[in-house]
């Protein structure tokens, strides 16, 4: 796999970095959809973020990366071991699992060996990619090319935090809490609006078009590939700073104040954009709170809402034939109408 590129050394792509950090602070914002050209470092960014996060306490050898300190969320094997003794602890980085296009459902959710179950009477379950992704990230490149039913299934599991496999009256369930990151190239087919809406945040990434930024991208990539160790060492401090911000935001999340006026502004914003349902509003609120946490603020303000609105709402707008402006522009316009330029 090689060493991961340092998160803080990624040039530009501020929206993408912010969305990923917010998802790391509060996974309940839902997944992140990254829309953009090939070669814009989407997968690099996800790996970089996972490597940046504090290591997890896991039960060594467990296929689901169970947390020994959370007896409520253990898999069956760990629960049994927990009942008869104490679970040992190991440190592991948050996992990043790639979901390849063309993966079968068995490979994703896990495979239940019905024959063995019926003949020998034991539950033979081969954990799939969702097991590996527990407490980490599930990355789908070109999510728009994945079969709809699989995307639906992944979003269901991501929302519930549990994978349930049912075949012929047999059932297996295991914890599967992960942040779903989908990347898509708009030129290769669109996601159904119903699926779009289920991603918490959406960001657009572009290859930088100004010369100095491109030079910097190439310079850093070249220097990383020539000597990864010393490149990582050079970016250690900024990376540690980001890690501290994420850790502090996680700890502060529950005590960050959300004034009624913020809720009101959020509702007005969603009404003026005509976004359906409450999911958009809930996401704006949670993401704004996570942003406040990252900034070290004790209270969610309009400034947080302004910054979050495009990320949380741009993919929830219905097409308006009378308004050909892109969805990001429409969100920005609504924000300006509400808060002033
Ligand atoms: Zn376990």
């Amino acid at each position: 796999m090689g060493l991961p590129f340092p998160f803080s050394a990624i040039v530009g792509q501020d929206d993408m970095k912010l969305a990923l950090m917010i998802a790391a602070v509060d996974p309940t914002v839902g997944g992140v959809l990254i829309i953009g050209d090939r070669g814009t470092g989407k997968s690099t960014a996800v790996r970089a973020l996972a490597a940046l996060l504090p290591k997890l306490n896991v039960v060594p050898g467990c296929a689901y990366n169970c947390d020994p300190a959370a007896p409520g969320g253990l898999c069956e094997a760990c629960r049994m071991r927990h009942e008869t003794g104490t679970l040992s602890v190991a440190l592991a980085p948050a996992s990043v699992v790639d979901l390849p296009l063309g993966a079968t459902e068995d490979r994703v959710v896990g495979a239940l060996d019905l024959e063995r179950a019926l003949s020998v009477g034991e539950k033979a379950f081969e954990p799939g990619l969702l097991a590996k992704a527990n407490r980490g990230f599930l990355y789908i490149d070109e999510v728009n090319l994945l079969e709809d039913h699989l995307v639906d299934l992944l979003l269901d599991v991501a929302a519930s935090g549990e994978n349930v496999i049912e075949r012929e009256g047999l059932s297996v369930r295991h914890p599967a809490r992960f942040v779903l990151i989908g990347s898509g190239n708009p030129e290769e087919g669109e996601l159904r609006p119903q699926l779009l809406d289920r991603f918490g945040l959406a960001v657009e990434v572009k290859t930088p078009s100004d010369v100095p930024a491109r030079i910097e991208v190439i310079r850093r990539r070249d220097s990383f590939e020539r000597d990864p160790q010393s490149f990582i060492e050079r970016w250690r401090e900024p990376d540690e700073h980001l890690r501290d911000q994420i850790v502090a935001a996680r700890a502060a999340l529950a005590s960050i104040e959300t004034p009624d006026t913020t809720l009101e502004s959020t509702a007005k914003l969603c009404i003026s954009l005509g976004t359906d349902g409450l999911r958009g509003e809930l996401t704006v609120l949670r993401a704004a709170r996570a942003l406040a946490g990252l900034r070290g603020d004790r209270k969610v303000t309009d400034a947080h809402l302004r910054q979050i609105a495009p990320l949380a709402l741009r993919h929830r707008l219905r097409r308006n034939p009378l308004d050909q402006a892109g969805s990001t522009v429409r969100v920005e316009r609504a924000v300006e109408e509400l808060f002033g330029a």
Side-chain angles (χ1 to χ4, degrees), residues 59 61-67 73-79 81 175:
V59 177
C62 169
Y64 311 95
N65 311 312
C66 279
D67 179 359
L74 296 174
C75 72
E76 227 174 278
C78 289
R79 204 181 324 130
R81 265 183 278 165

Side-chain angles (χ1 to χ4, degrees), residues 89-112:
V89 187
L91 280 176
S95 52
V96 179
V97 173
D98 274 299
L99 192 126
L101 281 175
T104 62
E105 193 170 325
D106 271 4
R107 171 111 176 79
V108 176
V109 301
L112 205 47

Side-chain angles (χ1 to χ4, degrees), residues 153-182:
L153 185 152
L154 291 168
L155 287 159
D156 282 341
V157 176
S160 68
E162 191 177 44
N163 181 27
V164 183
I165 304 97
E166 277 169 330
R167 302 270 187 279
E168 320 268 341
L170 284 174
S171 90
V172 172
R173 54 181 63 222
H174 69 75
R177 293 180 190 287
F178 54 84
V179 175
L180 187 66
I181 314 276

Side-chain angles (χ1 to χ4, degrees), residues 140-220:
I140 314 171
D141 197 20
E142 308 196 59
V143 64
N144 40 339
L145 299 183
L146 205 66
E147 283 174 65
D148 279 358
H149 84 274
L150 216 48
V151 183
D152 253 335
L153 185 152
L154 291 168
L155 287 159
D156 282 341
V157 176
S160 68
E162 191 177 44
N163 181 27
V164 183
I165 304 97
E166 277 169 330
R167 302 270 187 279
E168 320 268 341
L170 284 174
S171 90
V172 172
R173 54 181 63 222
H174 69 75
R177 293 180 190 287
F178 54 84
V179 175
L180 187 66
I181 314 276
S183 91
N185 183 341
E187 282 156 24
E188 286 166 6
E190 292 196 352
L191 266 180
R192 284 191 286 122
Q194 302 93 295
L195 290 180
L196 274 177
D197 176 57
R198 298 191 57 190
F199 280 92
L201 305 174
V203 294
E204 289 163 1
V205 290
K206 286 189 187 80
T207 314
S209 53
D210 62 301
V211 173
R214 287 177 91 110
I215 292 176
E216 199 49 36
V217 170
I218 297 299
R219 204 199 299 272
R220 288 186 196 174

